[in-house]
Amino acid sequence: MSKQLLLGDEAIAQAALDAGLSGVYAYPGTPSTEITEYIQMAPITTEQNIHNRWCANEKTAMEAALGMSFVGKRALVCMKHVGMNVAADCFVNSAITGVKGGLIVIAADDPSMHSSQNEQDSRFYGDFSLIPMYEPSNQQEAYDMVYSGFEFSEKLGEPILMRMVTRLAHSRSGVERKEQKPQNSISFSEDPRQFILLPGNARKRYKVLLARQDEFIKASEESPYNKYTELKGYLGIGVKVKGRLDGTLSQDGELNPDSVARAVGKENKSEFGIPSVVEMRPPALCEGCGHRDMYITLTEVLKEEYPSHKVFSDIGCYTLGANAPFNAINSCVDMGASITMAKGAADGGLFPAVAVIGDSTFTHSGMTGLLDCVNENASVTIVISDNETTAMTGGQDSAGTGRIEAICAGIGVDPAHIRVVTPLKKNYEEMKQIIREEIEYRGVSVIIPRRECIQTLARKKRSK
Ligand SMILES: Cc1ncc(C[n+]2csc(CCOP(=O)(O)OP(=O)(O)O)c2C)c(N)n1
Ligand code: SF4
């Protein structure tokens, strides 16, 4: 078969397509995003009607994929490592239901936090949920594991977790493809109660999962991907193995040639230094970005008129409001936490409590927090800075585009306190007046500054 030069992420996508994939379910997040983007662009996806639309969040992705597996078809779920925390409820339980059609979950870890808020190790999720896990060491293995992994998942009747890391996801190598398989046709489990996790059934299924661990270990020992090369007789002769745990290597961050060379007492001379013209510069919002206009007006009102304010932000381009010149935000914890933290702080007596969240993060996990606010008529001012895309991860579709006000009204926000503005310099006075009015309103108010991200706008213009 032909060899292609593929990113690790692309190797996964190509393998899934070649293995007869029926649907990819994902929410964008570095370093996993390119898997879904590759599937979206592949001609076979349209030809064979393979599901490929972005999901609202990782939990909905995992659940929809389990539904696809329920009907006997092959599904792929992709997310960055922190997405595993969002998907965990369904993911852990899917080990107990088991699967019908092959199901592979890709967790793309980001050691050294190149673009993440933590560097958790997703392999613990494999251990924790007691299912088999793959960890490829190169692009070809990533391809081979996914290609054969669907069949393996169907044979075991369990989902498979595959852990990637940034360097492998984002570097290229030649990958040999295998033959194209057709999609599975619809079929159902022989056990009509397989997916019903009522306690009586869940207890039984959990016992079965536990009893099957030896079988999984055997499969692991016989796997062509597990090789043991006798290095210097380390195992079994009492030679001390040095590494992260004894401090020889740092417990955090990724391993690289420099850190390993230092650990074994060798000097590793860099061949290519950083040219002197290259200067480190902190990331910043693009010139002309609507989030800038939002922060300029918001901080002017808050700093001058409400010195006791706090701003709870969220995760997206607008998190850069933490940096100068804005220095506008006081928190950024996890997707959706802006609204809920603002509510908790307001419950505790803070005034004004302001949340700043993007449109994609709002539909990912801000909506439920808004419902909590509405149910208690919390005194919070929520700014949904709507740039009509998921900009931070490269401009993917955003699940609520065109419907943000309707969603807020549907959740129960008083329509009089859902205020839409266009974040442009000429509207600054109007924006500041709206911010004042909504802060003064002691209930739930939502301000929606809406202007398309200039990067996606420019891309659309170029493609026209
Ligand atoms: C649980 C989780 N999933 C995915 C990500 C990756 N990620 C960071 S911000 C973001 C969405 C940003 O979109 P939006 O809130 O609309 O803000 P924008 O970047 O468009 O300003 C995503 C998907 C993450 N950090 N955490
Ligand atoms: S990519 Fe878009 S949303 Fe992000 S900073 Fe640039 S203009 Fe703003």
Side-chain angles (χ1 to χ4, degrees):
M1 280 298 254
S2 60
K3 224 174 188 187
Q4 281 177 239
L5 191 62
L6 296 176
L7 293 176
D9 275 352
E10 294 171 346
I12 290 172
Q14 188 60 60
L17 292 169
D18 291 344
L21 183 76
S22 292
V24 61
Y25 294 89
Y27 182 71
T30 310
S32 70
T33 313
E34 291 84 351
I35 305 171
T36 305
E37 288 180 334
Y38 186 93
I39 293 173
Q40 288 171 336
M41 300 299 286
I44 189 177
T45 302
T46 319
E47 283 158 28
Q48 298 201 359
N49 197 22
I50 296 169
H51 177 275
N52 62 89
R53 199 179 157 169
W54 291 106
C55 299
N57 65 37
E58 293 86 352
K59 181 172 182 281
T60 65
M62 181 68 213
E63 290 160 349
L66 192 62
M68 175 70 86
S69 164
F70 180 99
V71 299
K73 303 212 174 183
R74 294 182 169 181
L76 183 70
V77 192
C78 313
M79 63 193 79
K80 69 185 282 142
H81 58 313
V82 282
M84 287 296 288
N85 305 332
V86 178
D89 197 1
C90 178
F91 171 75
V92 174
N93 292 347
S94 73
I96 302 180
T97 61
V99 301
K100 175 64 177 155
L103 177 56
I104 300 181
V105 179
I106 309 286
D109 284 8
D110 188 16
S112 282
M113 296 181 242
H114 296 282
S115 40
S116 305
Q117 58 271 39
N118 78 22
E119 62 166 16
Q120 71 190 40
D121 183 339
S122 297
R123 290 174 295 189
F124 289 99
Y125 271 112
D127 257 4
F128 184 54
S129 54
L130 302 170
I131 58 166
M133 200 189 66
Y134 285 133
E135 193 178 10
S137 62
N138 57 43
Q139 286 75 2
Q140 183 68 57
E141 260 188 13
Y143 178 94
D144 294 343
M145 286 173 171
V146 170
Y147 186 83
S148 60
F150 285 106
E151 208 175 309
F152 185 50
S153 164
E154 282 161 11
K155 191 173 136 223
L156 295 182
E158 286 296 337
I160 307 288
L161 176 64
M162 183 159 131
R163 186 233 192 182
M164 287 287 282
V165 290
T166 307
R167 301 289 177 186
L168 180 53
H170 286 173
S171 58
R172 287 180 192 279
S173 145
V175 172
E176 186 120 18
R177 285 176 56 188
K178 297 186 186 342
E179 73 191 60
Q180 174 73 54
K181 292 185 185 171
Q183 290 186 38
N184 289 350
S185 43
I186 286 197
S187 67
F188 299 98
S189 171
E190 283 160 20
D191 174 2
R193 295 177 70 81
Q194 178 182 343
F195 291 87
I196 305 176
L197 292 188
L198 278 166
N201 196 37
R203 268 183 226 120
K204 268 190 240 154
R205 293 202 64 84
Y206 188 49
K207 275 189 198 300
V208 172
L209 180 65
L210 289 169
R212 297 192 65 197
Q213 295 303 301
D214 286 348
E215 194 188 325
F216 297 170
I217 290 168
K218 187 161 175 281
S220 164
E221 280 167 358
E222 288 169 0
S223 162
Y225 305 116
N226 283 336
K227 291 188 204 105
Y228 172 62
T229 311
E230 188 64 42
L231 280 163
K232 290 182 174 180
Y234 280 126
L235 297 184
I237 59 161
V239 177
K240 186 168 167 38
V241 177
K242 297 182 174 184
R244 289 190 190 270
L245 295 182
D246 72 349
T248 311
L249 286 161
S250 170
Q251 257 192 293
D252 65 317
E254 59 190 355
L255 299 181
N256 58 38
D258 288 334
S259 62
V260 175
R262 262 196 308 276
V264 296
K266 294 204 167 140
E267 197 190 347
N268 184 33
K269 284 200 187 130
S270 272
E271 279 189 44
F272 304 103
I274 299 172
S276 57
V277 289
V278 177
E279 273 188 42
M280 287 296 282
R281 57 192 172 110
L285 292 168
C286 303
E287 289 300 331
C289 171
H291 295 324
R292 280 182 177 267
D293 301 296
M294 178 272 291
Y295 276 129
I296 288 168
T297 49
L298 185 69
T299 49
E300 259 182 48
V301 173
L302 291 176
K303 287 186 179 163
E304 283 166 24
E305 300 168 35
Y306 297 94
S308 63
H309 76 274
K310 296 286 177 219
V311 177
F312 301 88
S313 184
D314 225 297
I315 306 191
C317 282
Y318 47 87
T319 317
L320 294 170
N323 298 342
F326 309 108
N327 302 315
I329 66 170
N330 304 100
S331 76
C332 159
V333 178
D334 64 79
M335 291 188 79
S338 56
I339 296 179
T340 33
M341 282 182 71
K343 177 184 181 293
D347 292 346
L350 177 74
F351 177 80
V354 179
V356 173
I357 188 168
D359 50 303
S360 180
T361 303
F362 175 65
T363 47
H364 177 282
S365 47
M367 297 191 301
T368 42
L370 180 60
L371 183 59
D372 280 351
C373 294
V374 167
N375 284 345
E376 294 183 42
N377 196 28
S379 182
V380 289
T381 309
I382 298 165
V383 179
I384 304 178
S385 198
D386 182 2
N387 56 8
E388 301 180 316
T389 188
T390 315
M392 197 185 202
T393 44
Q396 295 80 16
D397 291 344
S398 179
T401 297
R403 287 174 294 146
I404 300 291
E405 304 89 295
I407 292 169
C408 294
I411 286 172
V413 181
D414 177 351
H417 294 284
I418 302 174
R419 313 284 296 269
V420 183
V421 287
T422 306
L424 283 170
K425 202 165 187 178
K426 62 177 185 184
N427 298 334
Y428 278 5
E429 284 315 311
E430 180 200 352
M431 289 169 73
K432 287 200 279 186
Q433 189 48 30
I434 288 174
I435 292 165
R436 281 186 201 106
E437 285 169 17
E438 295 310 327
I439 286 175
E440 284 305 323
Y441 172 63
R442 305 302 167 105
V444 183
S445 49
V446 175
I447 302 172
I448 308 174
R450 173 174 301 129
R451 181 155 67 78
E452 184 171 0
C453 159
I454 55 167
Q455 298 296 347
T456 54
L457 189 66
R459 221 173 296 145
K460 275 187 205 158
K461 280 191 181 153
R462 275 198 301 272
S463 69
K464 267 188 197 158

